[in-house]
Amino acid sequence: MTAHVHLGLVFHQHQPVGNYGFVFDELFQKSYEPLVACLERHPGVKAGLHYSGPLLDWLLFNRPAYIERVRALVVRGQVEMLGGGYYEPVLPSISEADRIGQMTKMRNAITEVFGTRPAGMWLPERVWEPSLPTSIAAAGYRWTVVDDVHFQANGWDAADVSGWYLTEDQGSTTGIFGSSTAFRYLVPWGAIDACIDFLRNQGDRRPGSLVTMGDDGEKFGGWPTTYQHCWENGWVESFFSRLEEEAHWIETVHLGTWQAQKPAEGLIYLPTTSYMEMGEWSLTPGAQHALEDAMRVLRDGGRGDLTHFLRGGYWRNFLVRYPEMNLLHKRLLHLSRQAHQNGNAEALEHIWKAQCNCPYWHGVFGGVYLQHIRDATFGHLAQADALLNPGARPADTCDWNFDGRDEICLRSGEQAVIVNPAEGGRIEHWDLRQRGWHLTHAIARRPEAYHARLGGADEHAVQSIHDGVRLKDPAAAGQALNYDRGLRLAAQETIVAGAMGRQAYEDLRLSTPAVAAASSYDDGSLSLRLTAGGLSYDKTIALCEGALVMTAAIPANATLYSEWNLSLPQGEHGAAPEFRFEEGQAVITTGQFQLTAAHSAHEAWVTQLFSVSNTEGGVELAPQGWSMVFRGTSGDTPSTVSIRWTVQ
């Protein structure tokens, strides 16, 4: 007779801050509602449910009847609710005060909405660092879920991970459950018999043990090909039915009940890590390929049992791979400290929303490359800054991006800019303060590991999104190797002797970075003496009379190209911004405001930027912003290029 085994299922459901309403609605129809309906039809299947704050807010406003259905499942003892960080931040990347604040906000919301105080919390992206028990305990939670990969990094066999374990930091303890990587790859991709066989083998090997599986609810209908597989073809229905049929030896349980009633398996200290794919994605493309080669060598050599020691990098390295998001992250750390010191709850709410993890990293999902998600995240940063530092302010000098060198923040009532003197006086942040909009978060085009594998998967197969690469947009393959030199920020100059055309400029942009020989600033302006490619020029950035003004004094027989990469809102029905070029003026009309650049340049042009990005549906061209370039004149006498930006 097959030995008894327990199964703890947890479904994590999340939509990021700023995602489109139609995405929420589509995922509700394809995943969230069918899963709850299936649980209603199968009262013998117990499960844990987690909804991130942005999704919970949407459901409360748009689908209140669904919330009541989930509450009914809680009341009848079938569903256990999990908490977590409200806006789904990667907890180790934010301050201790923000960790506790976000988790407490979620705990209180779950208690109020569902009438039950959550004992367990979902760990966003399973990003674990050893200091987290202190934060988790302080927020009132007793346990969380990681992957068995975390245990394997300590030399454990995944099959030996069962029940819960105790870990601590500075005397604060929390319980840890290890989710089975092998089982979450079977559910729902494998045959149901294979899932049952896995549980049978575990029960035979360790009678009475617990198998935990915590994973995204969206993969049950929301990922490509899965709606047909999970619901139209009935995979989940059949799986739940089979669990009920085998209930005499497979018992579904709540992890909170298990943790409260069963003793810990022992003390464990987990290393800094996440699930295996995250460790791979955090590496540079070359290192990702090397990691794949190392795994292949071990498997081909008959030592696949050693591959779990190869876990790649870790989450914080995304802030190095994508320096644009590091600029957001570091500014948020400054503003968070200020908000806590001032007790500004409204600003803190914007900061917490801007900590939503989705735009900070990139793997199989769009992540950092999703412009509309960055629009929202950077927009909340701008609103937090405006609340904490209203109106015109004296220049603020500090190391805003944590690179060991000071940057200058200039604020007027209408605009705010952070200028980096060490990087040629480029503008790294540009806020429209009264509109809560951030103009400079375009992402540079850079290599990704999957660029070398475009077209290598069958886009019609039922498979995990982690398997292979789909080519959603055929046009993307031809642009995969168009990479940028440097970042795509604002007030970035390229200066050359003589002149060159548009294509030559794109080939040479930022090839000779400007170096600051001298700098000075007052409350409203920053002046720089710069040298690039053997040419020297003076540059001033000032906020005055409701305008942002950049002025550059150029030597004779040289041409300055001033590049402004802009993140702009869409118009009605997703319409692109309208660009109008007139003599000495460029006008940009968007769905929310109008930007005007009065300039003295010889000509100006605009190009839309696209990156080749992987998404759930496949690799596609993802819009990243608009690049405006102002070209000065080259003559026998010195010249001046000035650009005066105003907003209406």
Side-chain angles (χ1 to χ4, degrees):
M1 181 178 178
T2 300
H4 200 81
V5 69
H6 303 84
L7 176 61
L9 297 171
V10 175
F11 301 101
H12 154 65
Q13 291 144 127
H14 165 61
Q15 289 301 311
V17 172
N19 210 359
Y20 296 123
F22 74 83
V23 176
F24 282 80
D25 186 67
E26 180 180 356
L27 268 296
F28 177 81
Q29 300 294 335
K30 289 186 173 182
S31 178
Y32 308 143
E33 196 283 331
L35 180 60
V36 164
C38 200
L39 286 169
E40 290 170 333
R41 293 190 297 272
H42 295 277
V45 177
K46 292 184 177 181
L49 294 180
H50 171 255
Y51 298 91
S52 68
L55 178 55
L56 181 62
D57 290 341
W58 186 88
L59 291 169
L60 284 166
F61 186 81
N62 294 279
R63 300 290 188 275
Y66 174 84
I67 293 293
E68 291 303 317
R69 291 167 62 189
V70 175
R71 191 203 304 263
L73 291 173
V74 173
V75 170
R76 79 184 192 186
Q78 185 180 355
V79 160
E80 172 185 41
M81 301 302 300
L82 279 73
Y86 199 88
Y87 294 107
E88 203 70 5
V90 166
L91 292 173
S93 72
I94 63 177
S95 71
E96 178 76 1
D98 287 339
R99 295 179 194 177
I100 297 171
Q102 289 235 31
M103 286 191 285
T104 301
K105 179 180 174 71
M106 176 58 84
R107 187 198 69 207
N108 292 340
I110 295 298
T111 303
E112 178 181 354
V113 172
F114 298 102
T116 179
R117 181 185 172 102
M121 53 87 62
W122 182 259
L123 184 65
E125 299 305 327
R126 276 98 83 195
V127 178
W128 176 266
E129 291 191 11
S131 65
L132 284 180
T134 300
S135 309
I136 294 171
Y141 294 99
R142 297 201 307 267
W143 57 269
T144 189
V145 180
V146 299
D147 268 24
D148 54 14
V149 170
H150 296 63
F151 290 76
Q152 289 179 307
N154 272 352
W156 286 54
D157 187 326
D160 291 332
V161 179
S162 172
W164 69 281
Y165 301 80
L166 193 68
T167 191
E168 64 81 30
D169 174 64
Q170 302 179 67
S172 294
T173 61
T174 193
I176 298 288
F177 289 89
S179 176
S180 169
T181 300
F183 195 65
R184 73 177 173 87
Y185 268 73
L186 284 172
V187 177
W189 317 114
I192 290 174
D193 282 345
C195 297
I196 300 302
D197 287 344
F198 179 93
L199 296 174
R200 180 178 291 108
N201 291 336
Q202 182 66 15
D204 290 342
R205 187 173 184 272
R206 296 191 61 178
S209 60
L210 171 71
V211 174
T212 298
M213 192 214 74
D215 206 358
D216 296 346
E218 290 81 9
K219 78 176 186 178
F220 299 95
W223 291 359
T225 74
T226 60
Y227 182 77
Q228 179 182 19
H229 176 62
C230 290
W231 304 115
E232 292 180 347
N233 295 342
W235 193 97
V236 180
E237 192 82 35
S238 299
F239 178 58
F240 282 5
S241 294
R242 187 71 179 275
L243 290 178
E244 289 180 317
E245 292 170 8
E246 307 288 350
H248 57 285
W249 68 274
I250 302 175
E251 181 180 353
T252 57
V253 298
H254 290 153
L255 297 184
T257 302
W258 186 280
Q259 194 263 348
Q261 297 180 352
K262 303 284 187 179
E265 297 290 326
L267 180 68
I268 191 168
Y269 291 94
L270 300 175
T272 297
T273 192
S274 180
Y275 51 86
M276 181 61 200
E277 296 92 344
M278 184 68 81
E280 177 182 352
W281 295 331
S282 69
L283 298 172
T284 63
Q288 288 186 46
H289 293 311
L291 178 62
E292 292 170 358
D293 290 343
M295 289 185 171
R296 189 178 304 110
V297 167
L298 288 174
R299 288 168 180 152
D300 291 348
R303 295 310 310 268
D305 58 310
L306 298 180
T307 58
H308 62 261
F309 289 110
L310 303 174
R311 53 194 174 104
Y314 82 123
W315 191 89
R316 293 192 193 219
N317 197 51
F318 286 110
L319 301 175
V320 177
R321 287 201 58 202
Y322 304 106
E324 299 92 342
M325 304 315 298
N326 184 61
L327 294 175
L328 169 67
H329 177 259
K330 298 306 183 286
R331 189 176 175 194
L332 283 174
L333 292 178
H334 285 286
L335 294 177
S336 170
R337 185 180 300 116
Q338 186 181 0
H340 283 289
Q341 290 172 347
N342 296 354
N344 193 319
E346 185 179 0
L348 198 57
E349 187 72 8
H350 285 295
I351 289 165
W352 287 354
K353 289 179 179 178
Q355 290 170 345
C356 180
N357 77 82
C358 302
Y360 289 91
W361 62 278
H362 176 57
V364 74
F365 301 108
V368 68
Y369 290 113
L370 295 177
Q371 184 179 16
H372 67 288
I373 301 297
R374 299 198 313 272
D375 286 341
T377 307
F378 276 91
H380 284 296
L381 174 149
Q383 292 177 79
D385 190 291
L387 287 166
L388 292 167
N389 305 285
R393 291 296 180 102
D396 184 353
T397 305
C398 72
D399 183 7
W400 280 98
N401 60 13
F402 287 36
D403 68 349
R405 302 172 295 188
D406 283 347
E407 292 79 42
I408 314 298
C409 181
L410 306 175
R411 295 184 179 94
S412 68
E414 296 80 12
Q415 302 183 50
V417 294
I418 296 180
V419 188
N420 190 332
E423 297 290 345
R426 72 186 185 193
I427 294 175
E428 297 186 338
H429 293 272
W430 183 8
D431 296 344
L432 302 182
R433 289 162 64 74
Q434 296 180 352
R435 302 172 187 274
W437 189 266
H438 187 282
L439 283 166
T440 50
H441 60 76
I443 301 296
R445 297 169 295 184
R446 53 174 55 88
E448 296 289 354
Y450 53 80
H451 288 175
R453 303 193 299 270
L454 291 180
D458 178 0
E459 65 179 295
H460 301 293
V462 175
Q463 58 180 351
S464 167
I465 56 174
H466 304 296
D467 297 333
V469 176
R470 296 180 178 89
L471 185 60
K472 180 179 179 181
D473 183 355
Q479 298 192 37
L481 303 182
N482 293 337
Y483 302 133
D484 285 321
R485 182 184 294 109
L487 303 184
R488 287 282 186 176
L489 297 168
Q492 294 176 284
E493 285 83 43
T494 299
I495 187 170
V496 297
M500 57 185 172
R502 290 179 60 171
Q503 186 56 55
Y505 167 75
E506 288 295 332
D507 294 339
L508 294 176
R509 64 175 291 274
L510 305 183
S511 58
T512 53
V515 177
S519 65
S520 63
Y521 68 92
D522 58 26
D523 284 348
S525 67
L526 169 68
S527 298
L528 297 163
R529 180 66 173 174
L530 300 168
T531 300
L535 299 169
S536 296
Y537 64 102
D538 296 315
K539 174 180 176 180
T540 300
I541 293 178
L543 288 178
C544 56
E545 300 176 355
L548 168 62
V549 181
M550 192 286 292
T551 304
I554 311 304
N557 300 313
T559 305
L560 183 85
Y561 297 78
S562 183
E563 180 179 294
W564 298 71
N565 297 287
L566 304 176
S567 304
L568 300 168
Q570 296 177 337
E572 189 175 359
H573 304 301
E578 176 187 333
F579 295 86
R580 188 172 74 253
F581 293 92
E582 303 169 352
E583 185 68 27
Q585 184 171 266
V587 181
I588 309 171
T589 302
T590 76
Q592 298 184 27
F593 51 79
Q594 179 174 285
L595 275 175
T596 300
H599 63 87
S600 64
H602 177 71
E603 66 172 327
W605 65 80
V606 64
T607 305
Q608 188 172 12
L609 303 172
F610 293 91
S611 63
V612 176
S613 169
N614 201 16
T615 70
E616 302 98 303
V619 176
E620 63 184 9
L621 288 175
Q624 297 304 324
W626 301 83
S627 182
M628 290 194 69
V629 179
F630 299 86
R631 179 174 76 86
T633 58
S634 176
D636 296 335
T637 60
S639 61
T640 299
V641 174
S642 65
I643 307 169
R644 186 177 190 273
W645 293 93
T646 56
V647 60
Q648 292 180 321

